[in-house]
Amino acid sequence: MNLYLRYFDREVLVTNVDDAISFLADIDEIGMNPMLEHDIREYAASDVYYPKRYKIRPRIYFIIIKTEAATMQDFKEKKAVHTPVSSIEKDAASPVLVKLNEEKPGWYEGVIDFKRVQQVPGTGKFQYRDTRFAAQCKAMSGQDCYNRIIDHLRQRVDPRSQFPSAKGKNFKFTYLGGFK
């Protein structure tokens, strides 16, 4: 695993953490110290692959990125991008999406938590309030249940109210059974 470091227009691709620390120590503004060195060594040894940003002073940072690239050219052309998820897992749909879009006509119970705009008595001002709404409806799938609940609510609450995504944690549904 190689490390790419950049501070303004100064950049380097190194093969080990000692070279990275040496590069940073040569830049006076960074002010290399034992705590920063320890943190960089921990980042390099960890399984974390997201870029790490270190604050030098307000709005001034240097970054470190782990990469599989062997040369700076490969890094710039993104030839060695680390992909922690295998291609088989990437192609498979999320279990939440599969369950949500599964066609199963019948009765559903949907529960949605949303931000409802309501007027505060006495002041005349408006505020968002967390609101839970539950309904039972006939639907073809979990997504259809969500759409029916949202359509119902849009006709009855302030248009500034905010509704969550069907894929998120603020919408839950249960299949109750088929049509009779």
Side-chain angles (χ1 to χ4, degrees), residues 49-67:
Y49 284 95
Y50 59 85
K52 182 109 178 182
R53 183 170 81 157
Y54 291 92
K55 188 173 190 175
I56 304 302
R57 56 185 184 273
R59 298 186 302 269
I60 306 293
Y61 300 88
F62 74 86
I63 63 165
I64 301 176
I65 300 173
K66 288 183 180 179
T67 181

Side-chain angles (χ1 to χ4, degrees), residues 23-80:
F23 169 77
L24 294 170
D26 289 341
I27 302 172
D28 293 333
E29 295 99 26
I30 292 179
M32 182 58 75
N33 59 44
M35 286 178 29
L36 180 60
E37 180 178 340
H38 176 72
D39 195 47
I40 292 169
R41 287 186 189 280
E42 276 187 0
Y43 171 72
S46 71
D47 293 335
V48 175
Y49 284 95
Y50 59 85
K52 182 109 178 182
R53 183 170 81 157
Y54 291 92
K55 188 173 190 175
I56 304 302
R57 56 185 184 273
R59 298 186 302 269
I60 306 293
Y61 300 88
F62 74 86
I63 63 165
I64 301 176
I65 300 173
K66 288 183 180 179
T67 181
E68 307 273 334
T71 66
M72 186 67 81
Q73 174 97 18
D74 289 347
F75 178 78
K76 295 285 184 173
E77 293 175 1
K78 297 182 174 134
K79 289 184 179 176

